[in-house]
Coordinates of all heavy atoms in Angstrom, one line a residue:
E273 N 81.4 132.4 57.0 CA 82.0 131.8 58.1 C 80.9 131.6 59.2 O 80.5 132.5 59.9 CB 83.1 132.7 58.6 CG 84.2 132.9 57.7 CD 85.0 131.6 57.4 OE1 85.2 130.9 58.4 OE2 85.3 131.4 56.2
K274 N 80.4 130.4 59.3 CA 79.4 130.1 60.3 C 79.5 128.6 60.6 O 80.0 127.8 59.8 CB 78.0 130.4 59.9 CG 77.5 129.8 58.6 CD 76.1 130.2 58.2 CE 76.1 131.5 57.5 NZ 74.8 131.9 57.0
P275 N 78.9 128.1 61.7 CA 78.9 126.7 62.0 C 78.3 125.9 60.9 O 77.3 126.3 60.3 CB 78.1 126.6 63.3 CG 78.2 127.9 63.9 CD 78.3 128.9 62.8
L276 N 78.8 124.7 60.7 CA 78.3 123.8 59.6 C 76.8 123.6 59.7 O 76.0 123.7 58.7 CB 79.0 122.5 59.6 CG 78.6 121.5 58.5 CD1 78.8 122.1 57.1 CD2 79.4 120.2 58.7
V277 N 76.3 123.3 60.9 CA 74.9 123.0 61.1 C 74.0 124.2 60.7 O 73.0 124.1 60.0 CB 74.6 122.7 62.6 CG1 73.1 122.6 62.8 CG2 75.2 121.4 62.9
D278 N 74.4 125.4 61.0 CA 73.7 126.6 60.6 C 73.7 126.8 59.1 O 72.7 127.2 58.5 CB 74.3 127.9 61.3 CG 74.1 127.9 62.8 OD1 73.3 127.1 63.3 OD2 74.8 128.6 63.5
A279 N 74.9 126.5 58.5 CA 75.0 126.7 57.0 C 74.1 125.7 56.3 O 73.4 126.0 55.4 CB 76.4 126.5 56.6
V280 N 74.0 124.4 56.8 CA 73.2 123.4 56.2 C 71.7 123.7 56.4 O 70.9 123.6 55.4 CB 73.5 122.0 56.8 CG1 72.6 120.9 56.3 CG2 75.0 121.6 56.4
V281 N 71.3 124.1 57.6 CA 69.9 124.5 57.8 C 69.5 125.6 56.9 O 68.4 125.6 56.2 CB 69.7 124.9 59.3 CG1 68.3 125.5 59.5 CG2 69.8 123.6 60.1
E282 N 70.4 126.6 56.7 CA 70.1 127.8 55.9 C 70.0 127.3 54.4 O 69.0 127.7 53.7 CB 71.2 128.8 56.0 CG 70.9 130.1 55.2 CD 72.0 131.1 55.4 OE1 72.4 131.4 56.6 OE2 72.5 131.6 54.4
W283 N 70.9 126.5 54.0 CA 70.9 126.0 52.6 C 69.6 125.1 52.3 O 69.0 125.2 51.3 CB 72.1 125.1 52.3 CG 72.1 124.4 51.0 CD1 72.4 124.9 49.8 CD2 71.7 123.0 50.8 NE1 72.3 123.9 48.9 CE2 71.8 122.8 49.4 CE3 71.3 122.0 51.7 CZ2 71.6 121.5 48.9 CZ3 71.0 120.8 51.1 CH2 71.2 120.5 49.7
S284 N 69.2 124.3 53.3 CA 68.1 123.4 53.1 C 66.8 124.2 52.9 O 65.8 123.7 52.4 CB 67.9 122.5 54.3 OG 67.5 123.2 55.5
K285 N 66.7 125.4 53.4 CA 65.6 126.3 53.2 C 65.6 127.1 51.9 O 64.6 127.7 51.6 CB 65.4 127.2 54.4 CG 65.1 126.4 55.7 CD 65.1 127.4 56.9 CE 64.8 126.6 58.2 NZ 64.8 127.4 59.4
S286 N 66.7 127.0 51.2 CA 66.8 127.8 50.0 C 66.1 127.0 48.9 O 65.8 125.8 49.0 CB 68.3 127.9 49.6 OG 68.9 126.7 49.2
D287 N 65.9 127.7 47.7 CA 65.2 127.0 46.6 C 66.0 125.8 46.1 O 65.5 124.8 45.7 CB 65.1 128.0 45.4 CG 63.9 129.0 45.7 OD1 63.1 128.7 46.6 OD2 63.9 130.1 45.1
E288 N 67.4 125.9 46.2 CA 68.2 124.8 45.7 C 68.1 123.6 46.7 O 68.0 122.5 46.3 CB 69.7 125.3 45.6 CG 70.6 124.2 45.2 CD 72.1 124.7 45.2 OE1 72.3 125.8 45.6 OE2 72.9 123.9 44.8
G289 N 68.2 123.9 48.0 CA 68.3 122.9 49.0 C 67.0 122.2 49.4 O 67.0 121.0 49.7
K290 N 65.9 122.9 49.2 CA 64.6 122.3 49.7 C 64.2 121.0 48.9 O 63.5 120.2 49.5 CB 63.5 123.3 49.6 CG 63.1 123.7 48.2 CD 62.0 124.8 48.2 CE 61.7 125.3 46.8 NZ 60.7 126.3 46.9
H291 N 64.8 120.8 47.8 CA 64.5 119.6 47.0 C 65.2 118.3 47.6 O 64.9 117.2 47.2 CB 64.9 119.8 45.5 CG 64.2 120.9 44.9 ND1 62.8 120.9 44.6 CD2 64.6 122.1 44.5 CE1 62.5 122.1 44.1 NE2 63.5 122.8 44.0
F292 N 66.2 118.6 48.4 CA 66.9 117.5 49.0 C 66.5 117.1 50.4 O 67.1 116.2 51.0 CB 68.4 117.8 49.0 CG 69.0 118.0 47.6 CD1 69.0 119.2 47.0 CD2 69.5 116.9 46.9 CE1 69.5 119.4 45.8 CE2 70.0 117.0 45.6 CZ 70.0 118.3 45.1
V293 N 65.5 117.8 51.0 CA 65.1 117.6 52.3 C 63.8 116.8 52.4 O 62.8 117.1 51.7 CB 64.9 118.9 53.0 CG1 64.4 118.7 54.5 CG2 66.2 119.8 53.0
A294 N 63.8 115.7 53.2 CA 62.6 114.9 53.3 C 61.5 115.7 54.1 O 61.8 116.5 54.9 CB 62.9 113.6 54.0
A295 N 60.3 115.4 53.7 CA 59.2 116.0 54.5 C 59.2 115.6 55.9 O 59.5 114.4 56.2 CB 57.9 115.7 53.8
P296 N 58.8 116.4 56.8 CA 58.7 116.0 58.2 C 57.7 114.9 58.4 O 56.7 114.8 57.7 CB 58.4 117.2 59.0 CG 57.7 118.1 58.0 CD 58.3 117.8 56.7
V297 N 57.8 114.1 59.5 CA 56.8 113.1 59.8 C 55.6 113.9 60.4 O 55.7 114.6 61.3 CB 57.4 112.2 60.9 CG1 56.3 111.2 61.3 CG2 58.6 111.5 60.4
N298 N 54.5 113.7 59.7 CA 53.3 114.4 60.1 C 52.3 113.5 60.9 O 52.0 112.4 60.5 CB 52.6 114.9 58.8 CG 53.4 115.9 58.1 OD1 53.8 116.9 58.7 ND2 53.7 115.6 56.8
L299 N 51.9 114.0 62.1 CA 51.0 113.2 62.9 C 49.8 114.0 63.3 O 49.0 113.5 64.0 CB 51.8 112.8 64.2 CG 53.0 111.9 64.0 CD1 53.7 111.7 65.3 CD2 52.6 110.6 63.4
G300 N 49.6 115.3 62.8 CA 48.5 116.1 63.2 C 47.2 115.8 62.5 O 47.2 115.0 61.6
G301 N 46.2 116.5 62.9 CA 44.9 116.5 62.2 C 44.2 115.1 62.3 O 43.5 114.7 61.4
G302 N 44.5 114.4 63.3 CA 43.9 113.1 63.5 C 44.5 112.0 62.7 O 44.0 110.9 62.6
A303 N 45.6 112.3 62.1 CA 46.3 111.2 61.3 C 46.8 110.1 62.1 O 47.1 110.3 63.3 CB 47.5 111.9 60.5
S304 N 46.8 108.9 61.6 CA 47.3 107.8 62.4 C 48.8 107.7 62.4 O 49.4 106.9 63.1 CB 46.7 106.5 61.8 OG 47.2 106.3 60.4
G305 N 49.4 108.6 61.7 CA 50.9 108.6 61.7 C 51.5 107.9 60.5 O 50.9 107.0 60.0
G306 N 52.5 108.5 60.0 CA 53.2 107.9 58.8 C 54.6 107.6 59.1 O 55.5 107.7 58.2
T307 N 55.0 107.4 60.3 CA 56.4 107.1 60.7 C 56.8 105.8 60.0 O 56.1 104.9 59.9 CB 56.6 107.1 62.2 OG1 55.9 106.0 62.7 CG2 56.2 108.3 62.9
D308 N 58.1 105.8 59.7 CA 58.7 104.6 59.1 C 59.5 103.9 60.2 O 60.3 103.0 59.8 CB 59.6 105.0 57.9 CG 60.6 105.9 58.3 OD1 60.8 106.3 59.4 OD2 61.4 106.3 57.4
G309 N 59.2 104.2 61.4 CA 59.9 103.5 62.5 C 61.2 104.0 62.8 O 62.0 103.5 63.6
K310 N 61.6 105.2 62.3 CA 62.9 105.7 62.5 C 62.9 107.0 63.4 O 63.7 107.1 64.2 CB 63.6 106.1 61.1 CG 63.8 104.9 60.3 CD 64.5 105.3 59.0 CE 64.7 104.1 58.1 NZ 65.2 104.4 56.8
V311 N 62.0 107.9 63.1 CA 61.9 109.1 63.9 C 61.0 109.0 65.1 O 59.9 108.4 64.9 CB 61.5 110.3 63.0 CG1 61.5 111.6 63.7 CG2 62.5 110.4 61.8
G312 N 61.3 109.5 66.2 CA 60.5 109.5 67.4 C 60.8 108.4 68.3 O 60.2 108.3 69.4
Q313 N 61.6 107.5 67.9 CA 62.0 106.4 68.8 C 63.1 106.9 69.8 O 63.8 107.8 69.5 CB 62.6 105.2 68.1 CG 61.6 104.5 67.2 CD 62.2 103.3 66.4 OE1 63.4 103.3 66.3 NE2 61.4 102.4 66.0
K314 N 63.2 106.2 70.9 CA 64.2 106.6 71.9 C 65.5 105.8 71.7 O 66.5 106.2 72.2 CB 63.7 106.5 73.3 CG 62.6 107.5 73.7 CD 63.2 108.9 73.7 CE 62.2 109.9 74.0 NZ 62.7 111.3 74.0
T315 N 65.4 104.6 71.1 CA 66.6 103.8 70.8 C 66.5 103.5 69.3 O 65.4 103.3 68.7 CB 66.6 102.5 71.6 OG1 65.5 101.7 71.4 CG2 66.7 102.9 73.1
M316 N 67.7 103.3 68.7 CA 67.8 103.0 67.3 C 69.1 102.3 67.1 O 70.1 102.6 67.8 CB 67.7 104.3 66.5 CG 67.8 104.1 65.0 SD 67.7 105.7 64.2 CE 66.2 106.4 64.8
T317 N 69.2 101.3 66.2 CA 70.4 100.7 65.8 C 71.3 101.6 65.1 O 70.8 102.6 64.5 CB 70.2 99.4 64.9 OG1 69.7 99.8 63.7 CG2 69.3 98.4 65.6
R318 N 72.6 101.4 65.1 CA 73.6 102.2 64.4 C 73.2 102.2 62.9 O 73.3 103.3 62.2 CB 75.0 101.7 64.6 CG 76.0 102.3 63.7 CD 76.2 103.8 63.9 NE 76.7 104.1 65.2 CZ 76.8 105.4 65.6 NH1 76.6 106.4 64.8 NH2 77.2 105.6 66.9
T319 N 72.8 101.1 62.3 CA 72.5 101.0 60.9 C 71.3 101.9 60.6 O 71.3 102.6 59.6 CB 72.2 99.5 60.5 OG1 73.3 98.7 60.8 CG2 71.9 99.4 59.0
A320 N 70.3 101.9 61.4 CA 69.1 102.7 61.2 C 69.5 104.2 61.3 O 69.0 105.0 60.5 CB 68.0 102.3 62.1
F321 N 70.3 104.5 62.3 CA 70.7 105.9 62.5 C 71.5 106.4 61.3 O 71.3 107.5 60.8 CB 71.5 106.0 63.8 CG 72.0 107.4 64.1 CD1 71.1 108.4 64.6 CD2 73.2 107.8 63.8 CE1 71.5 109.7 64.9 CE2 73.7 109.1 64.0 CZ 72.8 110.1 64.6
D322 N 72.4 105.6 60.8 CA 73.2 106.0 59.7 C 72.4 106.2 58.4 O 72.8 106.9 57.5 CB 74.3 104.9 59.4 CG 75.4 105.0 60.5 OD1 75.5 105.9 61.2 OD2 76.2 104.0 60.6
S323 N 71.2 105.6 58.3 CA 70.4 105.7 57.1 C 69.6 107.0 57.1 O 69.0 107.4 56.1 CB 69.5 104.5 56.9 OG 68.5 104.5 57.9
L324 N 69.5 107.7 58.3 CA 68.7 108.9 58.4 C 69.5 110.1 57.7 O 70.7 110.1 57.6 CB 68.5 109.3 59.9 CG 67.7 108.4 60.8 CD1 67.8 108.9 62.2 CD2 66.3 108.2 60.3
N325 N 68.7 111.1 57.3 CA 69.3 112.3 56.7 C 69.8 113.1 57.9 O 69.5 112.9 59.1 CB 68.4 113.1 55.8 CG 67.2 113.7 56.5 OD1 67.3 114.2 57.6 ND2 66.1 113.6 55.8
I326 N 70.6 114.1 57.6 CA 71.3 114.9 58.7 C 70.3 115.6 59.6 O 70.5 115.6 60.8 CB 72.2 116.0 58.1 CG1 73.1 116.6 59.2 CG2 71.5 117.0 57.3 CD1 74.2 117.4 58.7
F327 N 69.1 116.0 59.1 CA 68.2 116.6 60.0 C 67.5 115.7 60.9 O 67.2 116.0 62.1 CB 67.1 117.4 59.1 CG 67.8 118.4 58.2 CD1 68.0 118.1 56.9 CD2 68.3 119.6 58.7 CE1 68.6 119.0 56.0 CE2 69.0 120.5 57.9 CZ 69.1 120.2 56.5
N328 N 67.1 114.5 60.4 CA 66.5 113.5 61.3 C 67.5 113.0 62.3 O 67.1 112.7 63.5 CB 66.0 112.3 60.5 CG 64.7 112.7 59.8 OD1 64.0 113.7 60.1 ND2 64.3 111.9 58.8
K329 N 68.8 112.9 62.0 CA 69.8 112.5 63.0 C 69.9 113.6 64.1 O 70.0 113.2 65.2 CB 71.2 112.4 62.3 CG 71.4 111.2 61.5 CD 72.8 111.2 60.8 CE 73.0 109.9 59.9 NZ 74.2 109.9 59.3
M330 N 69.8 114.8 63.7 CA 69.9 115.9 64.6 C 68.7 115.9 65.6 O 68.8 116.0 66.8 CB 70.0 117.3 63.9 CG 70.1 118.4 64.8 SD 70.4 120.0 64.0 CE 69.0 120.1 62.9
E331 N 67.5 115.7 65.0 CA 66.3 115.6 65.8 C 66.3 114.4 66.8 O 65.9 114.5 67.9 CB 65.0 115.6 64.9 CG 64.7 116.9 64.2 CD 64.5 118.0 65.2 OE1 63.8 117.8 66.2 OE2 65.1 119.1 64.9
F332 N 66.7 113.3 66.3 CA 66.8 112.1 67.1 C 67.8 112.3 68.3 O 67.4 112.0 69.4 CB 67.3 110.9 66.3 CG 67.5 109.6 67.1 CD1 66.4 108.9 67.4 CD2 68.7 109.2 67.5 CE1 66.5 107.7 68.2 CE2 68.9 108.0 68.2 CZ 67.8 107.3 68.5
T333 N 68.9 112.9 68.0 CA 69.9 113.2 69.1 C 69.3 114.2 70.0 O 69.5 114.0 71.3 CB 71.2 113.7 68.4 OG1 71.6 112.7 67.5 CG2 72.3 113.9 69.5
K334 N 68.8 115.3 69.5 CA 68.2 116.3 70.4 C 67.1 115.9 71.3 O 66.9 116.4 72.4 CB 67.8 117.5 69.6 CG 68.9 118.4 69.0 CD 68.5 119.5 68.1 CE 67.3 120.2 68.3 NZ 67.0 121.3 67.3
S335 N 66.3 114.8 70.8 CA 65.2 114.3 71.6 C 65.6 113.3 72.6 O 64.8 112.8 73.3 CB 64.2 113.7 70.6 OG 64.6 112.5 70.1
G336 N 66.9 113.1 72.7 CA 67.4 112.2 73.8 C 67.5 110.7 73.3 O 67.7 109.8 74.2
G337 N 67.5 110.5 72.0 CA 67.6 109.1 71.5 C 69.0 108.5 71.7 O 70.0 109.3 71.8
T338 N 69.0 107.2 71.9 CA 70.3 106.5 72.0 C 70.5 105.5 70.9 O 69.5 105.0 70.4 CB 70.4 105.8 73.4 OG1 69.3 104.9 73.5 CG2 70.3 106.8 74.5
I339 N 71.7 105.3 70.6 CA 72.0 104.3 69.5 C 72.5 103.0 70.1 O 73.4 103.0 71.0 CB 73.1 104.9 68.6 CG1 72.6 106.2 68.0 CG2 73.5 103.9 67.5 CD1 73.6 107.0 67.3
T340 N 71.9 101.9 69.6 CA 72.4 100.6 70.1 C 73.1 99.9 69.0 O 72.9 100.2 67.8 CB 71.2 99.7 70.5 OG1 70.3 99.6 69.4 CG2 70.4 100.4 71.6
D341 N 74.0 99.0 69.3 CA 74.8 98.3 68.3 C 74.2 96.9 68.0 O 73.4 96.3 68.6 CB 76.2 98.1 68.7 CG 76.9 99.5 68.6 OD1 76.7 100.2 67.7 OD2 77.8 99.8 69.5

């Protein structure tokens, strides 16, 4: 009995769940960046947002992103 987000985050870190989680967007170490244009933007279309996995949706929302139609 816990909130869904907490349960999903916990499951994603398990041996079973980690295979279903996309690697984070890495920008460190002088990398030029490997973003696919979805994460880190402040605005995004509904279609692009719907194509994100649950964790990227949560990060986009928490970072103040807005969805356009």
Side-chain angles (χ1 to χ4, degrees):
E273 297 297 319
K274 60 179 84 176
L276 179 61
V277 171
D278 293 342
V280 171
V281 169
E282 184 178 312
W283 172 82
S284 71
K285 294 177 182 177
S286 71
D287 286 338
E288 178 185 5
K290 67 183 177 183
H291 302 290
F292 296 93
V293 179
V297 177
N298 295 306
L299 300 174
S304 61
T307 63
D308 57 3
K310 294 180 183 176
V311 179
Q313 293 179 341
K314 291 294 181 181
T315 61
M316 182 180 301
T317 65
R318 169 62 62 185
T319 303
F321 181 79
D322 289 342
S323 72
L324 297 175
N325 68 39
I326 191 170
F327 301 104
N328 287 341
K329 286 179 181 177
M330 183 173 59
E331 289 300 315
F332 178 76
T333 304
K334 285 173 36 178
S335 71
T338 56
I339 300 171
T340 60
D341 286 323

